[in-house]
Amino acid sequence: MVVKMCDENRLKLQEQIKEQGEIVRKLKAAQGSKDKIAEEVSRLLELKAQLGAVEDGGSGPHKFTLKTPKGTRDYGPQQMAIRANVFSKIISVFKRHGAETIDTPIFELKEVLTGKYGEDSKLIYDLADQGGEILSLRYDLTVPFARYLAMNKISNIKRYHIAKVYRRDNPAMTRGRYREFYQCDFDIAGQYDPMIPDVECVRVVNEILTSLQIGDFLIKVNHRQLLDGLFEACGVPSDKFRTICSAVDKLDKSPWEEVRKEMVEEKGLSPEAADRIGEYVRLSGKMELVEQLLQDQALVGRSKTAREGLEAMSLFLKYCEIYGLQERVNFDLSLARGLDYYTGVIYEAVLLSDTKNEQGESVGVGSIAGGGRYDNLVGMFDPKHKNVPCVGVSIGVERVFSVMEARLTSNNSKVRTTEVEVYVASAQKNLVEDRMRLCRELWDAGIKAEHSYKRNPKLLAQLQHCEEMGIPFAAILGESELAKGIVKLRRVSTREEIEVQRNNVAQAVRDLLAKSSEQS
């Protein structure tokens, strides 16, 4: 009976492998997207691994394919060096604005996350029952932050949080969309005057993206209150506001015709209401557009909410000008941000390509940061429903990493993966103990140093290591030099050498590093 089941499984898997192989062949022949081909190849390898396990008959170690799970990746030293540099720049901006940091668990009670993300709730990763608790991996850092505020009775804080989040999304690895990825959040919680914290969040985004030097960008802004008022004026039933908002949020990726079709055919909106919405959500501009809309009686005459949203945007754009953001910020009525918890101003930063549209404007190539005001989220967790007004922004660092890695690859650039400042080398044999003594002195002096783990390495190999790893200086020990009480310090880039006293190597290295820092 067992043998028969194994045979059936084998035949079934062989048929699946054949079908999956055909899918891969057709995709490659049609020159499909790299992400889709990689996904289908991954499925093919999994099926082959399962077949290998069945053919093993359960005896001995099972065959399996070495791969990372779908939507994840490994990061080598070069990628991690890029990440460390990016995080350092981002954190320096957060600290410049007075933020302090927190951390929360990577999983939460499922009920904490449920109902906070609108249609995206289906992307939450659920975990198996953990001893009576129904848990899910965190989808973002905002909802855990709101839970943290409510649980600890915190009414005001300015915090940043850098950590991994998890989404059961369809990954697009080449565009920086993963199932496991980092978010970098900056939030201001507390009861303050309108738009002052909000505009600072946009200023933070501007400073970060400018410091990273990844290309030209634009920060789109809108207001949830204005969107609700717009829907009201256009005849959208109030119970459809959120679902229509989710449809509008797709305008950055889909043409209006597709979004309109979704509104009418899938979400039951009348064609007339959809057409009225279309007249507005394709508008974008600066303060002049706000003033124009404030005169539009078809909008503000039908909706007090729309008027209040426009007045709020007017104040926001005025503050943007004070902070020097007027060139970067664009009022865009198509910006909706689908998450349910936003209540006020919303914003999204997009990278711009060199491609121009018919009006001569740069075309966006991808969202790289987003956020907004969410005044009611903390109250969902508080037993007395006490709200703590919040506004924040999340930097899409995976997109940043993808852009930077692609640029380095195209330029054939190399990134230093260590911070070693001086390499202790020996010119002859039997000097390993002298190298170790000098390394100890340099480490004790706080200097980053290393040496070869071979007793008698060749000098040329040691110097080549310095060049390959970008180590700026080498301290070369030789028998005759040690007899004279000196050491040669070599600048690796120019091969220039100077002699220094053996008992003064640490200070000499410090002086050379300081001089190099001044020159750079």
Side-chain angles (χ1 to χ4, degrees):
M1 185 69 176
V2 173
V3 173
K4 185 179 178 182
M5 286 179 65
C6 285
D7 286 340
E8 288 175 355
N9 286 342
R10 185 184 300 107
L11 291 170
K12 185 178 178 182
L13 282 167
Q14 286 172 343
E15 187 61 31
Q16 288 176 335
I17 288 169
K18 185 179 177 181
E19 291 173 0
Q20 188 64 24
E22 190 61 30
I23 291 171
V24 172
R25 279 190 291 276
K26 286 180 179 178
L27 268 175
K28 288 182 176 179
Q31 296 183 332
S33 73
K34 291 182 180 178
D35 289 325
K36 184 63 177 172
I37 291 172
E39 183 181 335
E40 298 300 341
V41 168
S42 176
R43 287 178 184 167
L44 179 61
L45 292 173
E46 286 173 6
L47 289 168
K48 288 182 176 180
Q50 290 174 32
L51 178 62
V54 169
E55 289 177 341
D56 254 358
S59 62
H62 289 311
K63 296 176 184 177
F64 62 94
T65 303
L66 287 174
K67 62 183 285 292
T68 58
K70 182 180 177 182
T72 67
R73 60 172 288 194
D74 291 322
Y75 297 92
Q78 181 156 310
Q79 286 83 30
M80 290 305 293
I82 294 170
R83 286 178 165 242
N85 181 47
V86 168
F87 285 145
S88 174
K89 289 180 178 179
I90 291 173
I91 290 170
S92 71
V93 173
F94 290 160
K95 289 183 175 179
R96 186 184 306 147
H97 287 262
E100 50 195 342
T101 191
I102 67 165
D103 196 12
T104 61
I106 67 164
F107 44 80
E108 296 274 353
L109 295 174
K110 184 178 180 180
E111 60 187 339
V112 167
L113 305 182
T114 302
K116 311 302 189 301
Y117 304 109
E119 294 182 2
D120 286 344
S121 291
K122 63 181 180 292
L123 303 181
I124 294 172
Y125 265 113
D126 291 333
L127 301 176
D129 187 330
Q130 302 295 317
E133 291 186 329
I134 308 301
L135 306 177
S136 297
L137 294 177
R138 62 185 173 203
Y139 178 89
D140 67 1
L141 300 179
T142 306
V143 171
F145 174 55
R147 190 267 307 153
Y148 170 84
L149 293 180
M151 200 172 94
N152 293 284
K153 309 297 182 189
I154 296 170
S155 58
N156 47 58
I157 186 175
K158 188 190 297 182
R159 82 85 165 90
Y160 72 90
H161 188 185
I162 298 178
K164 286 183 175 181
V165 299
Y166 301 85
R167 296 184 183 179
R168 198 166 47 83
D169 204 350
N170 196 26
M173 309 288 276
T174 55
R175 295 197 299 274
R177 179 184 288 176
Y178 301 93
R179 288 182 164 183
E180 176 194 62
F181 58 96
Y182 273 99
Q183 281 191 341
C184 297
D185 281 19
F186 174 90
D187 293 82
I188 301 171
Q191 186 71 55
Y192 301 111
D193 287 323
M195 295 300 169
I196 299 175
D198 309 63
V199 76
E200 184 164 354
C201 288
V202 174
R203 170 72 195 196
V204 164
V205 174
N206 183 70
E207 288 182 23
I208 287 172
L209 297 185
T210 301
S211 70
L212 293 175
Q213 298 179 328
I214 56 171
D216 200 14
F217 61 91
L218 181 70
I219 304 173
K220 301 177 182 180
V221 299
N222 200 0
H223 202 289
R224 265 295 174 81
Q225 202 172 354
L226 171 57
L227 278 170
D228 285 351
L230 187 157
F231 296 151
E232 181 184 10
C234 292
V236 178
S238 59
D239 62 345
K240 289 186 182 292
F241 279 11
R242 290 285 75 86
T243 185
I244 297 302
C245 194
S246 294
V248 171
D249 191 44
K250 296 173 184 175
L251 278 170
D252 62 334
K253 302 181 186 72
S254 306
W256 164 248
E257 291 72 22
E258 288 184 17
V259 172
R260 181 189 183 280
K261 184 178 179 181
E262 179 182 330
M263 287 179 178
V264 175
E265 296 183 9
E266 295 180 26
K267 300 189 173 176
L269 189 65
S270 71
E272 296 77 19
D275 290 336
R276 284 196 290 270
I277 290 170
E279 292 174 12
Y280 289 106
V281 296
R282 287 179 281 183
L283 297 175
S284 65
K286 305 285 185 180
M287 184 70 86
E288 296 78 15
L289 178 58
V290 177
E291 294 169 354
Q292 174 191 324
L293 292 171
L294 280 169
Q295 302 304 314
D296 182 355
Q297 289 305 306
L299 179 62
V300 299
R302 294 178 180 174
S303 174
K304 180 185 174 184
T305 304
R307 177 180 290 278
E308 290 173 350
L310 284 166
E311 289 169 349
M313 282 307 307
S314 179
L315 180 61
F316 178 82
L317 292 174
K318 177 184 175 183
Y319 288 162
C320 282
E321 190 169 345
I322 293 171
Y323 278 161
L325 300 169
Q326 62 272 24
E327 296 302 317
R328 294 288 194 189
V329 169
N330 199 51
F331 174 38
D332 190 327
L333 274 81
S334 72
L335 179 65
R337 295 198 62 77
L339 299 180
D340 278 1
Y341 52 63
Y342 288 122
T343 59
V345 67
I346 49 178
Y347 31 80
E348 186 169 273
V350 293
L351 281 183
L352 302 174
S353 69
D354 295 329
T355 306
K356 307 287 184 180
N357 62 17
E358 293 176 359
Q359 288 74 40
E361 300 167 329
S362 293
V363 179
V365 295
S367 172
I368 204 160
R373 176 159 289 279
Y374 51 103
D375 287 348
N376 302 328
L377 189 56
V378 177
M380 292 183 182
F381 301 115
D382 189 89
K384 298 180 180 178
H385 302 291
K386 179 186 174 184
N387 280 320
V388 177
C390 297
V391 64
V393 66
S394 181
I395 308 297
V397 288
E398 301 297 345
R399 174 71 173 152
V400 173
F401 298 144
S402 294
V403 171
M404 296 182 82
E405 286 176 23
R407 183 180 298 168
L408 288 168
T409 300
S410 64
N411 295 337
N412 292 318
S413 302
K414 190 172 182 182
V415 177
R416 275 203 74 187
T417 56
T418 76
E419 297 183 8
V420 174
E421 296 164 321
V422 58
Y423 188 92
V424 178
S426 52
Q428 287 97 26
K429 293 181 178 180
N430 302 319
L431 295 176
V432 62
E433 293 181 6
D434 294 279
R435 295 201 317 264
M436 294 172 74
R437 290 189 190 97
L438 182 50
C439 277
R440 174 188 169 181
E441 291 173 25
L442 293 168
W443 292 332
D444 288 347
I447 294 168
K448 298 163 186 170
E450 68 172 354
H451 73 117
S452 173
Y453 295 138
K454 291 185 176 181
R455 288 184 60 85
N456 298 309
K458 293 180 180 179
L459 180 59
L460 181 60
Q462 296 170 84
L463 296 177
Q464 282 178 337
H465 175 79
C466 293
E467 291 180 1
E468 289 169 4
M469 300 302 293
I471 300 171
F473 297 101
I476 303 173
L477 305 176
E479 292 175 352
S480 59
E481 287 82 4
L482 287 173
K484 298 176 188 175
I486 60 173
V487 170
K488 285 183 179 178
L489 284 183
R490 177 186 178 104
R491 186 183 292 273
V492 175
S493 60
T494 63
R495 302 184 181 181
E496 172 191 358
E497 292 182 350
I498 60 171
E499 293 182 347
V500 299
Q501 293 297 310
R502 169 63 185 82
N503 58 7
N504 196 39
V505 175
Q507 186 58 50
V509 169
R510 271 204 208 93
D511 293 343
L512 286 170
L513 290 169
K515 188 176 179 181
S516 293
S517 180
E518 288 173 8
Q519 290 173 348
S520 63

